[in-house]
Amino acid sequence: MKKRFFTYIGLLFTAVSCIYPFNPELPDTVEHALVVEGNILLGDYSTAVFRYLQPLSGKVMGYPSGTAYIEDDGGTIYSGYTEADLYAQQGYTLHFDTRNASEDRLYRMVLTVDSHSYETDWIQPEVSPVITGVRFTADKDNVHALVSFTDAPGGSGYSSVTYEETWHFHADYLKTYYINLATYEIIQIMGQPDYLRYWCWKSYESSTYSLVDSYDTHGHVEDFEFNSFLRTNNRNHDRYRVKVKVKSMPETEYKFRKLLNDNDEIGGNLFTPEPGEIAGNLICSDDPSVKVYGYVGAARVAEGYFYMDDSFYINYTYPLIKVESMEDYPRYLDMGYEPITDYFYNGESIIGWGQKRCYDCTAAGGTQVEPENWEK
C-alpha cells in the first residue's frame, strides 16, 4: 500500500482534561487552560513547552511559567532549565539533558504551573528506528534532502523526522570602497581585498516536524523528503551539513498530531477536530477540576550527520543599487547603505551601494566560530 506522510508545524497539541478524554464540545471556561507539549528524547535534549489555550478572539494571554522534571523508574531526576531558542515564540520552554538516559527505564514528566501539579503516567520509550541513508537531489530550481529509515523490531510504524542544519557560506561581495563621512568622498581600498568577514557558518534548527506513517510498508521508509531549498541559496556556497533525527511514536500520539495537523491545514483550532474523543496522557494530580491539554511522548532518537558539497549551486548575488548624486548620500547612509564595490548596473559600470550584510557575513546572520566536529 501507499505510504502516508503528514507534516505538522511548530507545536501541535491534543486535548485531555484532568480526568476526562477530549470532547470537541468544550465550554468557554477552558479557553485559558494550560496546554503542554512534551518530548522525552533519549540520546538527545528533551523539551517541555507550555502556554495557555488562547481564545479565537479577544485579549491574548501571556505564557505561563513553572518548573518541571523528568524522572525514570530508577529514581534519576532530569531537571528542566530555560535557554533562548527557537521555541521562544511558541511558549514557555524548559529543556532537559537526557543524552545519557537509558531506553531500559520507564519515564514520566512532572510539572508545576500556576500552583498546580501535573504529571504523566510512566511511559515506555519507543524503540529507535535505524537511519539507512540521506541523499541530496536537485531539479531545475531546488535542492531536495531525502532520508531513508527502517523501524527496529518491535517498532510502531509511526515516526517523526526533524533536523538541524549548518552550512559554510560567504558574503555576496568583497568590500573595495569606503566613504569619508566628513567629505562624502568615496575612496578605493588599496591592496588585497579584506576576507576577514567574508566566510562564515550559519545554523538552523527546524521547528517543523514531519509525521510518517509506515505501518503499511512494515516500518520501511525510502527517500522521505524532509527539507528543500533553492539552488541559489547560500546553503550551497561551499559545504552543507544536516543532522537528521528520527523517532518512533505510538499510534495514539501519531493520531492526535495528525488530527491537529489536519485542523491547521483547514484553518481549524483546538475546538474543531473531527468528531471523536482522543485521550492524552497528562493529569492534574492535585485538583481534578483543573483542565490541562497536551501529550508527552518518550522515545530513543536515531540521528546522523550527512554532508553535501557545492555541486548544485547556481550563482546568485543580491543586486546592488546606484546612488545618483552626492546629495543623496546622507539619505542612503541613514538607511544603512554604503559604497561596496565596482558593479555593472543596467549596462553601466558604477560603484554599487548595499547594506552591510552584502559584504559582512556576520551581519548576514553568520558566525566565524567553526562548528564542533566540522568535517573539512
Side-chain angles (χ1 to χ4, degrees):
M1 295 185 181
K2 183 180 180 180
K3 296 189 290 290
R4 299 184 297 275
F5 300 119
F6 306 92
T7 301
Y8 66 94
I9 300 176
L11 296 180
L12 303 172
F13 303 99
T14 190
V16 56
S17 70
C18 200
I19 55 175
Y20 301 103
F22 174 63
N23 188 309
E25 301 299 327
L26 292 174
D28 293 339
T29 54
V30 301
E31 280 193 339
H32 296 159
L34 179 67
V35 181
V36 178
E37 197 268 348
N39 280 298
I40 301 175
L41 304 177
L42 313 182
D44 203 344
Y45 290 93
S46 299
T47 58
V49 185
F50 34 99
R51 60 184 176 89
Y52 293 118
L53 186 61
Q54 300 286 357
L56 295 181
S57 61
K59 182 179 180 180
V60 177
M61 299 183 65
Y63 295 139
S65 60
T67 61
Y69 64 86
I70 295 169
E71 180 182 11
D72 70 25
D73 61 354
T76 301
I77 299 293
Y78 304 88
S79 298
Y81 60 91
T82 60
E83 64 178 26
D85 59 23
L86 80 164
Y87 299 101
Q89 300 301 316
Q90 301 174 348
Y92 183 82
T93 305
L94 293 173
H95 299 259
F96 312 81
D97 188 351
T98 48
R99 290 175 295 174
N100 296 320
S102 170
E103 63 266 35
D104 298 325
R105 294 290 184 181
L106 301 178
Y107 293 86
R108 68 172 183 161
M109 185 175 288
V110 180
L111 307 94
T112 300
V113 183
D114 295 336
S115 301
H116 290 293
S117 296
Y118 308 89
E119 62 184 48
T120 66
D121 290 330
W122 292 102
I123 305 169
Q124 175 68 54
E126 293 292 314
V127 294
S128 171
V130 177
I131 298 174
T132 56
V134 166
R135 68 188 188 97
F136 304 93
T137 65
D139 55 29
K140 182 172 70 72
D141 298 314
N142 297 287
V143 177
H144 306 274
L146 312 171
V147 61
S148 299
F149 60 92
T150 302
D151 255 359
S156 64
Y158 302 96
S159 310
S160 68
V161 179
T162 187
Y163 60 92
E164 301 172 13
E165 52 184 348
T166 303
W167 60 99
H168 195 216
F169 76 101
H170 59 74
D172 285 332
Y173 301 95
L174 284 166
K175 188 172 175 62
T176 58
Y177 290 96
Y178 71 95
I179 187 168
N180 184 322
L181 295 179
T183 64
Y184 290 146
E185 179 186 6
I186 296 178
I187 303 170
Q188 186 172 16
I189 300 172
M190 306 306 294
Q192 293 296 319
D194 184 2
Y195 283 89
L196 181 62
R197 298 293 180 91
Y198 187 68
W199 283 100
C200 282
W201 286 270
K202 195 170 185 178
S203 296
Y204 171 75
E205 180 178 355
S206 172
S207 59
T208 300
Y209 301 81
S210 298
L211 291 175
V212 184
D213 174 1
S214 59
Y215 184 83
D216 293 337
T217 56
H218 307 289
H220 180 68
V221 176
E222 188 74 25
D223 285 346
F224 174 69
E225 182 174 324
F226 63 90
N227 191 23
S228 65
F229 43 85
L230 291 172
R231 294 179 65 176
T232 55
N233 188 275
N234 62 18
R235 286 171 172 81
N236 299 283
H237 279 182
D238 179 44
R239 194 155 175 79
Y240 171 87
R241 181 179 77 182
V242 63
K243 180 182 180 181
V244 183
K245 303 179 183 181
V246 184
K247 76 158 192 171
S248 295
M249 63 179 66
E251 184 179 8
T252 52
E253 182 178 353
Y254 171 85
K255 285 184 174 180
F256 85 72
R257 295 191 186 279
K258 179 186 178 300
L259 177 63
L260 267 289
N261 177 63
D262 291 344
N263 292 337
D264 182 72
E265 289 178 353
I266 63 174
N269 60 82
L270 191 59
F271 296 101
T272 58
E274 299 172 359
E277 295 181 341
I278 296 180
N281 64 349
L282 278 168
I283 62 170
C284 175
S285 56
D286 58 15
D287 187 348
S289 67
V290 175
K291 301 290 184 179
V292 57
Y293 300 87
Y295 198 98
V296 178
R300 164 67 65 177
V301 177
E303 58 185 39
Y305 287 97
F306 302 88
Y307 286 83
M308 181 186 74
D309 61 21
D310 61 354
S311 57
F312 294 133
Y313 181 49
I314 295 177
N315 186 51
Y316 176 81
T317 54
Y318 283 96
L320 299 179
I321 65 171
K322 178 182 179 181
V323 179
E324 296 289 348
S325 66
M326 186 178 294
E327 287 74 17
D328 295 322
Y329 289 0
R331 179 163 59 92
Y332 280 93
L333 288 168
D334 287 344
M335 291 189 295
Y337 287 85
E338 55 186 297
I340 295 180
T341 192
D342 295 312
Y343 186 69
F344 205 62
Y345 180 84
N346 290 338
E348 177 187 3
S349 180
I350 66 167
I351 296 175
W353 286 57
Q355 295 183 320
K356 187 176 182 180
R357 68 185 311 277
C358 294
Y359 67 87
D360 185 339
C361 61
T362 63
T367 176
Q368 295 190 300
V369 178
E370 182 172 322
E372 186 177 1
N373 300 320
W374 181 261
E375 292 184 7
K376 303 296 186 182

